[in-house]
PDB file of all heavy atoms in Angstrom:
ATOM      1  N   LEU B1003      -3.250   7.182   3.019  1.00  0.00           N
ATOM      2  CA  LEU B1003      -2.039   7.965   3.284  1.00  0.00           C
ATOM      3  C   LEU B1003      -0.879   7.453   2.444  1.00  0.00           C
ATOM      4  O   LEU B1003      -0.146   8.235   1.823  1.00  0.00           O
ATOM      5  CB  LEU B1003      -1.670   7.923   4.769  1.00  0.00           C
ATOM      6  CG  LEU B1003      -0.340   8.595   5.120  1.00  0.00           C
ATOM      7  CD1 LEU B1003      -0.422  10.105   4.896  1.00  0.00           C
ATOM      8  CD2 LEU B1003       0.057   8.277   6.553  1.00  0.00           C
ATOM      9  N   ILE B1004      -0.709   6.149   2.416  1.00  0.00           N
ATOM     10  CA  ILE B1004       0.379   5.554   1.634  1.00  0.00           C
ATOM     11  C   ILE B1004       0.208   5.907   0.166  1.00  0.00           C
ATOM     12  O   ILE B1004       1.155   6.348  -0.495  1.00  0.00           O
ATOM     13  CB  ILE B1004       0.434   4.032   1.861  1.00  0.00           C
ATOM     14  CG1 ILE B1004       0.898   3.743   3.303  1.00  0.00           C
ATOM     15  CG2 ILE B1004       1.349   3.356   0.848  1.00  0.00           C
ATOM     16  CD1 ILE B1004       0.674   2.313   3.753  1.00  0.00           C
ATOM     17  N   ALA B1005      -1.006   5.719  -0.360  1.00  0.00           N
ATOM     18  CA  ALA B1005      -1.261   6.010  -1.775  1.00  0.00           C
ATOM     19  C   ALA B1005      -1.057   7.486  -2.093  1.00  0.00           C
ATOM     20  O   ALA B1005      -0.469   7.828  -3.124  1.00  0.00           O
ATOM     21  CB  ALA B1005      -2.676   5.574  -2.149  1.00  0.00           C
ATOM     22  N   ALA B1006      -1.520   8.360  -1.217  1.00  0.00           N
ATOM     23  CA  ALA B1006      -1.421   9.800  -1.469  1.00  0.00           C
ATOM     24  C   ALA B1006       0.027  10.297  -1.401  1.00  0.00           C
ATOM     25  O   ALA B1006       0.408  11.203  -2.138  1.00  0.00           O
ATOM     26  CB  ALA B1006      -2.283  10.576  -0.476  1.00  0.00           C
ATOM     27  N   SER B1007       0.825   9.704  -0.546  1.00  0.00           N
ATOM     28  CA  SER B1007       2.191  10.205  -0.370  1.00  0.00           C
ATOM     29  C   SER B1007       3.216   9.450  -1.209  1.00  0.00           C
ATOM     30  O   SER B1007       4.335   9.921  -1.385  1.00  0.00           O
ATOM     31  CB  SER B1007       2.582  10.176   1.109  1.00  0.00           C
ATOM     32  OG  SER B1007       2.569   8.852   1.606  1.00  0.00           O
ATOM     33  N   ASN B1008       2.852   8.289  -1.743  1.00  0.00           N
ATOM     34  CA  ASN B1008       3.785   7.526  -2.570  1.00  0.00           C
ATOM     35  C   ASN B1008       3.915   8.179  -3.943  1.00  0.00           C
ATOM     36  O   ASN B1008       2.919   8.473  -4.597  1.00  0.00           O
ATOM     37  CB  ASN B1008       3.310   6.081  -2.716  1.00  0.00           C
ATOM     38  CG  ASN B1008       4.239   5.272  -3.584  1.00  0.00           C
ATOM     39  OD1 ASN B1008       3.963   5.055  -4.749  1.00  0.00           O
ATOM     40  ND2 ASN B1008       5.351   4.843  -3.027  1.00  0.00           N
ATOM     41  N   THR B1009       5.136   8.409  -4.370  1.00  0.00           N
ATOM     42  CA  THR B1009       5.365   9.069  -5.655  1.00  0.00           C
ATOM     43  C   THR B1009       5.532   8.083  -6.804  1.00  0.00           C
ATOM     44  O   THR B1009       5.731   8.495  -7.943  1.00  0.00           O
ATOM     45  CB  THR B1009       6.602   9.992  -5.593  1.00  0.00           C
ATOM     46  OG1 THR B1009       7.765   9.187  -5.345  1.00  0.00           O
ATOM     47  CG2 THR B1009       6.461  11.043  -4.509  1.00  0.00           C
ATOM     48  N   ASP B1010       5.462   6.787  -6.503  1.00  0.00           N
ATOM     49  CA  ASP B1010       5.656   5.761  -7.524  1.00  0.00           C
ATOM     50  C   ASP B1010       4.351   5.345  -8.193  1.00  0.00           C
ATOM     51  O   ASP B1010       4.378   4.605  -9.169  1.00  0.00           O
ATOM     52  CB  ASP B1010       6.320   4.522  -6.907  1.00  0.00           C
ATOM     53  CG  ASP B1010       7.622   4.870  -6.221  1.00  0.00           C
ATOM     54  OD1 ASP B1010       8.529   5.377  -6.898  1.00  0.00           O
ATOM     55  OD2 ASP B1010       7.729   4.644  -5.001  1.00  0.00           O
ATOM     56  N   GLY B1011       3.212   5.781  -7.652  1.00  0.00           N
ATOM     57  CA  GLY B1011       1.932   5.440  -8.258  1.00  0.00           C
ATOM     58  C   GLY B1011       1.167   4.342  -7.549  1.00  0.00           C
ATOM     59  O   GLY B1011       0.221   3.784  -8.104  1.00  0.00           O
ATOM     60  N   MET B1012       1.534   4.014  -6.333  1.00  0.00           N
ATOM     61  CA  MET B1012       0.825   2.973  -5.597  1.00  0.00           C
ATOM     62  C   MET B1012      -0.613   3.424  -5.322  1.00  0.00           C
ATOM     63  O   MET B1012      -0.842   4.554  -4.913  1.00  0.00           O
ATOM     64  CB  MET B1012       1.540   2.683  -4.266  1.00  0.00           C
ATOM     65  CG  MET B1012       0.962   1.494  -3.515  1.00  0.00           C
ATOM     66  SD  MET B1012       1.758   1.194  -1.913  1.00  0.00           S
ATOM     67  CE  MET B1012       3.463   0.959  -2.361  1.00  0.00           C
ATOM     68  N   THR B1013      -1.556   2.529  -5.536  1.00  0.00           N
ATOM     69  CA  THR B1013      -2.969   2.830  -5.296  1.00  0.00           C
ATOM     70  C   THR B1013      -3.355   2.451  -3.874  1.00  0.00           C
ATOM     71  O   THR B1013      -2.621   1.725  -3.189  1.00  0.00           O
ATOM     72  CB  THR B1013      -3.870   2.058  -6.272  1.00  0.00           C
ATOM     73  OG1 THR B1013      -3.741   0.652  -5.985  1.00  0.00           O
ATOM     74  CG2 THR B1013      -3.511   2.348  -7.720  1.00  0.00           C
ATOM     75  N   GLU B1014      -4.521   2.915  -3.446  1.00  0.00           N
ATOM     76  CA  GLU B1014      -5.027   2.532  -2.120  1.00  0.00           C
ATOM     77  C   GLU B1014      -5.207   1.027  -2.032  1.00  0.00           C
ATOM     78  O   GLU B1014      -4.903   0.427  -1.000  1.00  0.00           O
ATOM     79  CB  GLU B1014      -6.366   3.224  -1.823  1.00  0.00           C
ATOM     80  CG  GLU B1014      -6.227   4.639  -1.370  1.00  0.00           C
ATOM     81  CD  GLU B1014      -7.541   5.223  -0.874  1.00  0.00           C
ATOM     82  OE1 GLU B1014      -8.233   4.559  -0.068  1.00  0.00           O
ATOM     83  OE2 GLU B1014      -7.867   6.340  -1.292  1.00  0.00           O
ATOM     84  N   GLU B1015      -5.721   0.411  -3.089  1.00  0.00           N
ATOM     85  CA  GLU B1015      -5.944  -1.033  -3.085  1.00  0.00           C
ATOM     86  C   GLU B1015      -4.619  -1.785  -2.941  1.00  0.00           C
ATOM     87  O   GLU B1015      -4.531  -2.769  -2.207  1.00  0.00           O
ATOM     88  CB  GLU B1015      -6.667  -1.467  -4.368  1.00  0.00           C
ATOM     89  CG  GLU B1015      -8.077  -0.949  -4.499  1.00  0.00           C
ATOM     90  CD  GLU B1015      -8.165   0.535  -4.882  1.00  0.00           C
ATOM     91  OE1 GLU B1015      -7.223   1.089  -5.507  1.00  0.00           O
ATOM     92  OE2 GLU B1015      -9.184   1.163  -4.520  1.00  0.00           O
ATOM     93  N   GLN B1016      -3.592  -1.324  -3.639  1.00  0.00           N
ATOM     94  CA  GLN B1016      -2.280  -1.958  -3.517  1.00  0.00           C
ATOM     95  C   GLN B1016      -1.714  -1.765  -2.119  1.00  0.00           C
ATOM     96  O   GLN B1016      -1.149  -2.696  -1.530  1.00  0.00           O
ATOM     97  CB  GLN B1016      -1.330  -1.402  -4.579  1.00  0.00           C
ATOM     98  CG  GLN B1016      -1.735  -1.796  -5.985  1.00  0.00           C
ATOM     99  CD  GLN B1016      -1.081  -0.921  -7.046  1.00  0.00           C
ATOM    100  OE1 GLN B1016      -0.625   0.198  -6.772  1.00  0.00           O
ATOM    101  NE2 GLN B1016      -1.047  -1.418  -8.270  1.00  0.00           N
ATOM    102  N   ALA B1017      -1.863  -0.564  -1.576  1.00  0.00           N
ATOM    103  CA  ALA B1017      -1.380  -0.297  -0.218  1.00  0.00           C
ATOM    104  C   ALA B1017      -2.082  -1.212   0.780  1.00  0.00           C
ATOM    105  O   ALA B1017      -1.441  -1.787   1.663  1.00  0.00           O
ATOM    106  CB  ALA B1017      -1.596   1.168   0.143  1.00  0.00           C
ATOM    107  N   ARG B1018      -3.410  -1.359   0.646  1.00  0.00           N
ATOM    108  CA  ARG B1018      -4.164  -2.250   1.536  1.00  0.00           C
ATOM    109  C   ARG B1018      -3.664  -3.684   1.397  1.00  0.00           C
ATOM    110  O   ARG B1018      -3.462  -4.385   2.380  1.00  0.00           O
ATOM    111  CB  ARG B1018      -5.665  -2.165   1.223  1.00  0.00           C
ATOM    112  CG  ARG B1018      -6.545  -3.204   1.880  1.00  0.00           C
ATOM    113  CD  ARG B1018      -6.475  -3.313   3.393  1.00  0.00           C
ATOM    114  NE  ARG B1018      -6.837  -2.089   4.066  1.00  0.00           N
ATOM    115  CZ  ARG B1018      -6.480  -1.802   5.321  1.00  0.00           C
ATOM    116  NH1 ARG B1018      -5.771  -2.644   6.036  1.00  0.00           N
ATOM    117  NH2 ARG B1018      -6.829  -0.666   5.869  1.00  0.00           N
ATOM    118  N   GLU B1019      -3.433  -4.124   0.151  1.00  0.00           N
ATOM    119  CA  GLU B1019      -2.918  -5.474  -0.084  1.00  0.00           C
ATOM    120  C   GLU B1019      -1.594  -5.689   0.649  1.00  0.00           C
ATOM    121  O   GLU B1019      -1.396  -6.698   1.325  1.00  0.00           O
ATOM    122  CB  GLU B1019      -2.725  -5.692  -1.592  1.00  0.00           C
ATOM    123  CG  GLU B1019      -2.042  -6.992  -1.962  1.00  0.00           C
ATOM    124  CD  GLU B1019      -1.650  -7.073  -3.431  1.00  0.00           C
ATOM    125  OE1 GLU B1019      -2.131  -6.249  -4.243  1.00  0.00           O
ATOM    126  OE2 GLU B1019      -0.841  -7.953  -3.765  1.00  0.00           O
ATOM    127  N   PHE B1020      -0.678  -4.729   0.503  1.00  0.00           N
ATOM    128  CA  PHE B1020       0.632  -4.877   1.141  1.00  0.00           C
ATOM    129  C   PHE B1020       0.510  -4.834   2.660  1.00  0.00           C
ATOM    130  O   PHE B1020       1.156  -5.614   3.371  1.00  0.00           O
ATOM    131  CB  PHE B1020       1.602  -3.805   0.640  1.00  0.00           C
ATOM    132  CG  PHE B1020       1.831  -3.856  -0.846  1.00  0.00           C
ATOM    133  CD1 PHE B1020       2.001  -2.687  -1.559  1.00  0.00           C
ATOM    134  CD2 PHE B1020       1.860  -5.055  -1.543  1.00  0.00           C
ATOM    135  CE1 PHE B1020       2.216  -2.712  -2.935  1.00  0.00           C
ATOM    136  CE2 PHE B1020       2.062  -5.099  -2.915  1.00  0.00           C
ATOM    137  CZ  PHE B1020       2.246  -3.922  -3.614  1.00  0.00           C
ATOM    138  N   LEU B1021      -0.316  -3.942   3.177  1.00  0.00           N
ATOM    139  CA  LEU B1021      -0.513  -3.864   4.626  1.00  0.00           C
ATOM    140  C   LEU B1021      -1.113  -5.153   5.175  1.00  0.00           C
ATOM    141  O   LEU B1021      -0.802  -5.567   6.294  1.00  0.00           O
ATOM    142  CB  LEU B1021      -1.391  -2.671   4.987  1.00  0.00           C
ATOM    143  CG  LEU B1021      -0.757  -1.290   4.800  1.00  0.00           C
ATOM    144  CD1 LEU B1021      -1.805  -0.191   4.968  1.00  0.00           C
ATOM    145  CD2 LEU B1021       0.407  -1.085   5.764  1.00  0.00           C
ATOM    146  N   ASP B1022      -1.980  -5.795   4.387  1.00  0.00           N
ATOM    147  CA  ASP B1022      -2.643  -7.022   4.833  1.00  0.00           C
ATOM    148  C   ASP B1022      -1.804  -8.275   4.653  1.00  0.00           C
ATOM    149  O   ASP B1022      -1.983  -9.250   5.379  1.00  0.00           O
ATOM    150  CB  ASP B1022      -3.974  -7.216   4.079  1.00  0.00           C
ATOM    151  CG  ASP B1022      -5.042  -6.228   4.503  1.00  0.00           C
ATOM    152  OD1 ASP B1022      -4.882  -5.562   5.555  1.00  0.00           O
ATOM    153  OD2 ASP B1022      -6.045  -6.107   3.769  1.00  0.00           O
ATOM    154  N   THR B1023      -0.877  -8.268   3.685  1.00  0.00           N
ATOM    155  CA  THR B1023      -0.166  -9.507   3.367  1.00  0.00           C
ATOM    156  C   THR B1023       1.302  -9.531   3.784  1.00  0.00           C
ATOM    157  O   THR B1023       1.881 -10.611   3.903  1.00  0.00           O
ATOM    158  CB  THR B1023      -0.252  -9.810   1.853  1.00  0.00           C
ATOM    159  OG1 THR B1023       0.347  -8.738   1.119  1.00  0.00           O
ATOM    160  CG2 THR B1023      -1.701 -10.000   1.426  1.00  0.00           C
ATOM    161  N   TRP B1024       1.902  -8.370   3.978  1.00  0.00           N
ATOM    162  CA  TRP B1024       3.294  -8.361   4.411  1.00  0.00           C
ATOM    163  C   TRP B1024       3.365  -8.717   5.891  1.00  0.00           C
ATOM    164  O   TRP B1024       2.375  -8.631   6.618  1.00  0.00           O
ATOM    165  CB  TRP B1024       3.920  -6.990   4.183  1.00  0.00           C
ATOM    166  CG  TRP B1024       4.168  -6.661   2.734  1.00  0.00           C
ATOM    167  CD1 TRP B1024       3.889  -7.419   1.643  1.00  0.00           C
ATOM    168  CD2 TRP B1024       4.749  -5.443   2.244  1.00  0.00           C
ATOM    169  NE1 TRP B1024       4.264  -6.763   0.498  1.00  0.00           N
ATOM    170  CE2 TRP B1024       4.789  -5.560   0.833  1.00  0.00           C
ATOM    171  CE3 TRP B1024       5.227  -4.300   2.853  1.00  0.00           C
ATOM    172  CZ2 TRP B1024       5.307  -4.546   0.031  1.00  0.00           C
ATOM    173  CZ3 TRP B1024       5.736  -3.296   2.047  1.00  0.00           C
ATOM    174  CH2 TRP B1024       5.784  -3.419   0.656  1.00  0.00           C
ATOM    175  N   SER B1025       4.561  -9.062   6.338  1.00  0.00           N
ATOM    176  CA  SER B1025       4.749  -9.334   7.762  1.00  0.00           C
ATOM    177  C   SER B1025       4.398  -8.083   8.564  1.00  0.00           C
ATOM    178  O   SER B1025       4.367  -6.969   8.024  1.00  0.00           O
ATOM    179  CB  SER B1025       6.202  -9.736   8.050  1.00  0.00           C
ATOM    180  OG  SER B1025       7.065  -8.610   7.926  1.00  0.00           O
ATOM    181  N   ASP B1026       4.143  -8.273   9.827  1.00  0.00           N
ATOM    182  CA  ASP B1026       3.768  -7.151  10.691  1.00  0.00           C
ATOM    183  C   ASP B1026       4.840  -6.056  10.674  1.00  0.00           C
ATOM    184  O   ASP B1026       4.528  -4.875  10.542  1.00  0.00           O
ATOM    185  CB  ASP B1026       3.527  -7.654  12.117  1.00  0.00           C
ATOM    186  CG  ASP B1026       2.857  -6.629  12.995  1.00  0.00           C
ATOM    187  OD1 ASP B1026       1.885  -5.986  12.544  1.00  0.00           O
ATOM    188  OD2 ASP B1026       3.314  -6.467  14.150  1.00  0.00           O
TER     189      ASP B1026
END
């Protein structure tokens, strides 16, 4: 969802990385 709706070019892998590593 993040990758599909982000207009900056974020990939699913990047979205997963941020979801897994950023604070809750």
Side-chain angles (χ1 to χ4, degrees):
L1003 174 67
I1004 291 166
S1007 62
N1008 179 260
T1009 64
D1010 304 300
M1012 187 182 302
T1013 66
E1014 280 189 48
E1015 294 76 25
Q1016 293 162 340
R1018 169 55 60 201
E1019 173 190 346
F1020 300 144
L1021 290 170
D1022 289 346
T1023 60
W1024 289 1
S1025 71
D1026 192 45

